[in-house]
Amino acid sequence: MNPFLDSAAQAVRMVAEGDPQLLQIVGLSLSVSASACLIASALGLLAGAAIAVWRFPGRGAVLVLLNTLLALPSVVVGLVVYLLLSRAGPLGAWGILFTPPAMVIAQSILVTPIVAALARQTIEDALRDHGEQLRSLGAGRLASALIVAWDERLALLTLALVAFGRAVSEVGAVMMVGGNIAGVTRVMTTAIALETSKGDLPLALALGLVLLAVVLALNVMIAALRQWRTVGDRELAA
């Protein structure tokens, strides 16, 4: 049999049979990325809402910085977190370098600007459409932001799914601060890179299939949320 087809067949078999090593790597990947997504969503939504609602000196510079952070290189984040958490670093006493918490911190730093920028745009657009009406009813800035955030909850939930997709597909930063230690900090992306370099194509392909399935599931959920929102807007308009 062709080597590629043989590796692909073994990969499908590993996924179908629930290979223990595969399941351990996938479980760690999802738990780390989910934790980072929750942290980034909370911080990003708060920051995005604050920037959308309040006008303050230097707001333009903050927006430029926020947009710049959207393209933040993952290896730079990994380097900074590594230096902070290393024994000689200011947070070295925590002793969490090369552990899952360090990976969560790195992914959170990467994803938070994405959530903040998109949340800011979503809430600002909604306030532009409904802000005058809310203020005429006596709602202050904070109350208006909360009302708009609830009204746009499906869009904000979509942002959380986007954040999770970005986190689960990250490789550079988590490899630097996690060390890619088998059974401890080895996640799907770092395992794919390692197993490919070792020539263990079945495991690399199996992990690739699972990662693609996760990304596909996220895109399906995002599309479903957008469709649900569109249907709801049409019903309200009618």
Side-chain angles (χ1 to χ4, degrees), residues 131-151:
E132 290 294 336
Q133 181 180 2
L134 291 173
R135 283 191 290 271
S136 69
L137 295 174
R141 290 183 179 273
L142 180 59
S144 298
L146 292 174
I147 293 170
V148 165
W150 175 254
D151 187 56

Side-chain angles (χ1 to χ4, degrees), residues 51 118 120 149 190 210:
I51 296 172
L118 296 177
R120 194 273 309 174
T190 60
V210 175

Side-chain angles (χ1 to χ4, degrees), residues 28-177:
L28 179 62
S29 297
L30 296 180
S31 63
V32 167
S33 297
S35 300
C37 178
L38 289 175
I39 295 171
S41 295
L43 296 177
L45 288 174
L46 289 174
I51 296 172
V53 170
W54 280 287
R55 299 295 183 267
F56 52 87
R59 183 175 181 272
V62 171
L63 290 178
V64 171
L65 176 62
L66 185 59
N67 291 330
T68 301
L69 292 177
L70 292 175
L72 188 63
S74 61
V75 290
V76 173
V77 173
L79 176 61
V80 171
V81 175
Y82 179 91
L83 293 175
L84 289 174
L85 298 179
S86 64
R87 288 188 177 183
L91 304 179
W94 291 5
I96 62 173
L97 188 63
F98 303 135
T99 65
M103 299 161 68
V104 171
I105 292 173
Q107 288 191 358
S108 299
I109 293 173
L110 272 173
V111 173
T112 298
I114 298 175
V115 178
L118 296 177
R120 194 273 309 174
Q121 189 64 57
T122 299
I123 294 175
E124 195 169 277
D125 289 345
L127 285 174
R128 189 178 298 113
D129 295 335
H130 309 293
E132 290 294 336
Q133 181 180 2
L134 291 173
R135 283 191 290 271
S136 69
L137 295 174
R141 290 183 179 273
L142 180 59
S144 298
L146 292 174
I147 293 170
V148 165
W150 175 254
D151 187 56
E152 298 291 331
R153 58 190 180 279
L154 293 181
L156 297 178
L157 180 57
T158 300
L159 299 186
L161 294 176
V162 171
F164 181 82
R166 175 67 179 89
V168 79
S169 61
E170 206 288 313
V171 57
V174 295
M175 184 175 289
M176 295 177 69
V177 303

